[in-house]
């Protein structure tokens, strides 16, 4: 097989202008490999190739696109153990999560394979006699995809699959922290019978390759997942060319625990939401808003559950929390622990760097109590195994606290009251609301996205993805009278 540490441009694997090192966050002595980085010339070549290839892919028809996407998805699911192990090795999530992510990535491709066969238009009557109207969707053209490191296979999959399904070409810039995952997905796509240049992998530094990509007039649409500051910069750059944008950014997800909740269930979902994936999820519950009547009992049980979590090497059996992804991420997390203390919050457990059998970026999950909504640990996205507990004396106060944020991705409530659950579903300002469920965990066939600073542009996933990856065309036809 071709060296899988290269770039993939115009149907060929190629060396980059430079290389970066990729190390295992569970064991920093484990060098995974050296991975290619593109320069401006290589990025421009990828964009030119995508522009040339896209019309042929659209002309290939829906059956061809269905077959290609189905093959990609089927292989991902069949190789979930193998690729998932590699993903866990470089990103740090436990193997079960890594394998599950790869399998879910395959499901995105098989779902959108089926969507290719459901591309229906509309017919409309004209207000003028003798005229027929039809409305159809066509591809936007060349799509730039910029994906994060925390879900290095699943997130690009839910972007690449609909882009290809609806007839577009792709230039993908993955996160530099997880290049091996990008190579694995690219290797599968590259072996398909697709036009040369239709799909391109162009890794590189954001300040150079990423900025040039989003500023390019060759790009018709940009799908981005990452931080709010970077997203704002992309939106500003895209506006210069009136490029279509879809952005999933920050979050500060609340989980409300009411006085009528099943406390044991609430603790299980709170711990899973806050610390699953080592807290490195945009859907993590970093704010726990707990009714005063059960606050102390809930916190006591949450501390016990948190201390029972096994932190360890991502590839070791029984590990529930792996390391954080990098040293810079770990340092940022520890800084937030210090910020929480300085702001007057009570650190009841965790928040320490852990020494393990291997040198890695390990941290004990942390719980703060006695927090307020104006504290930075309740305002800023930390992307860490840290959660902050607040008291609320009523449902109304809890809902007000939950909505007091610039973000609005996911939110949850634990309650046995149908009235409260229904009111919360209608009045919580978030793109996804959960009742008696974790804030993390969504399905692949329905839309995903948020409000406020969490999202901008059309929704991702499900049939709603067509809003971003296609352009609507309305045709008026006057056939005349038959001779």
């Amino acid at each position: 097989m071709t060296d899988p540490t290269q770039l993939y441009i115009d149907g060929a694997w190629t060396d980059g202008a430079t290389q970066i090192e990729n190390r295992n966050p569970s064991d920093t002595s484990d060098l995974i490999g050296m991975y290619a980085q593109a320069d401006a010339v290589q990025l421009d070549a990828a964009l030119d190739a995508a522009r040339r290839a896209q019309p042929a892919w659209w002309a290939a028809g829906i059956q061809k696109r269905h077959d290609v996407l189905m093959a990609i998805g089927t292989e991902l699911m069949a190789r979930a153990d193998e690729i998932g192990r590699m993903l866990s090795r470089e990103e740090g999530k436990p193997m079960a999560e890594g394998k599950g992510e790869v399998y879910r990535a395959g499901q995105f491709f098989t779902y959108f394979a089926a969507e290719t066969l459901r591309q229906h238009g509309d017919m409309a009557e004209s207000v003028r006699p003798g005229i027929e109207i039809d409305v159809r969707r066509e591809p936007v053209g060349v799509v730039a995809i910029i994906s994060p490191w925390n879900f290095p296979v699943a997130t690009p999959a839910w972007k690449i699959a609909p882009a290809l399904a609806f007839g577009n070409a792709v230039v993908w810039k993955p996160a530099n922290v997880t290049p091996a995952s990008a190579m694995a997905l690219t290797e599968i796509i590259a072996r398909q019978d697709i036009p040369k240049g239709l799909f391109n992998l162009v890794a590189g530094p954001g300040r150079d390759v990423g900025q040039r990509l989003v500023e390019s007039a060759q790009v018709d649409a940009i799908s981005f997942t990452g931080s709010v500051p970077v997203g704002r910069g992309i939106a500003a750059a895209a506006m210069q060319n009136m490029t279509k944008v879809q952005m999933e950014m920050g979050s500060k997800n609340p989980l409300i625990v009411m006085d009528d909740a099943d406390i044991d269930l609430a603790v299980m979902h709170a711990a899973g939401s806050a610390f699953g994936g080592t807290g490195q999820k945009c859907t993590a519950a970093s704010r726990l808003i707990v009714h005063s009547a059960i606050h102390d009992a809930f916190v006591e049980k949450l501390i016990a559950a948190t201390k029972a979590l096994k932190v360890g090497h991502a590839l070791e059996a029984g590990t529930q929390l792996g390391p954080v992804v990098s040293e810079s991420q770990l340092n940022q997390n520890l800084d937030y622990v210090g910020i929480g203390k300085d702001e007057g919050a009570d650190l009841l457990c965790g928040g320490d760097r852990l020494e393990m059998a291997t040198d890695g970026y390990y941290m004990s999950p942390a719980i703060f109590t006695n927090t307020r909504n104006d504290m930075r640990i309740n305002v800023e996205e930390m992307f860490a195994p840290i959660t902050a507990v607040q008291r609320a004396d009523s449902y109304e106060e809890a809902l007000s606290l939950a909505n007091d944020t610039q973000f609005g991705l996911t939110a949850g409530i634990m309650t046995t009251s149908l009235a409260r659950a229904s009111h919360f579903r209608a009045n919580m300002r978030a793109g996804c609301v959960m009742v008696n469920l974790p804030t993390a965990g969504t399905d692949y066939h329905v839309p995903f996205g948020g409000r406020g600073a969490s999202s901008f542009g059309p929704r991702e996933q499900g049939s709603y993805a067509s809003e971003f990856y296609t352009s609507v065309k309305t045709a008026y036809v006057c056939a005349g009278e038959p001779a």
Side-chain angles (χ1 to χ4, degrees), residues 337-354:
V337 173
I339 288 167
K341 291 178 180 178
D342 291 344
E343 290 182 317
D346 297 329
L347 180 64
L348 297 193
C349 75
D352 300 312
R353 180 166 191 168
L354 299 176

Side-chain angles (χ1 to χ4, degrees), residues 293-314:
I294 61 165
H295 175 276
D296 293 351
F298 173 85
V299 168
E300 182 181 355
K301 290 192 173 191
L302 180 64
I303 291 171
T306 302
K307 288 181 176 179
L309 292 171
K310 181 183 177 183
V311 179
H313 194 296

Side-chain angles (χ1 to χ4, degrees), residues 4 13 55 66 78 102 106 136 144 192 207 221 223 246 283 306 329 350 369 389 397 403 410 437 441 463:
W13 292 98
H66 167 275
V102 176
R136 65 187 68 194
Q192 307 306 315
R207 64 184 179 277
S223 182
Q246 173 192 66
T283 53
T306 302
Q329 186 67 45
T369 60
V389 181
E397 182 185 7
N403 276 325
T410 68
L437 289 167
S463 61

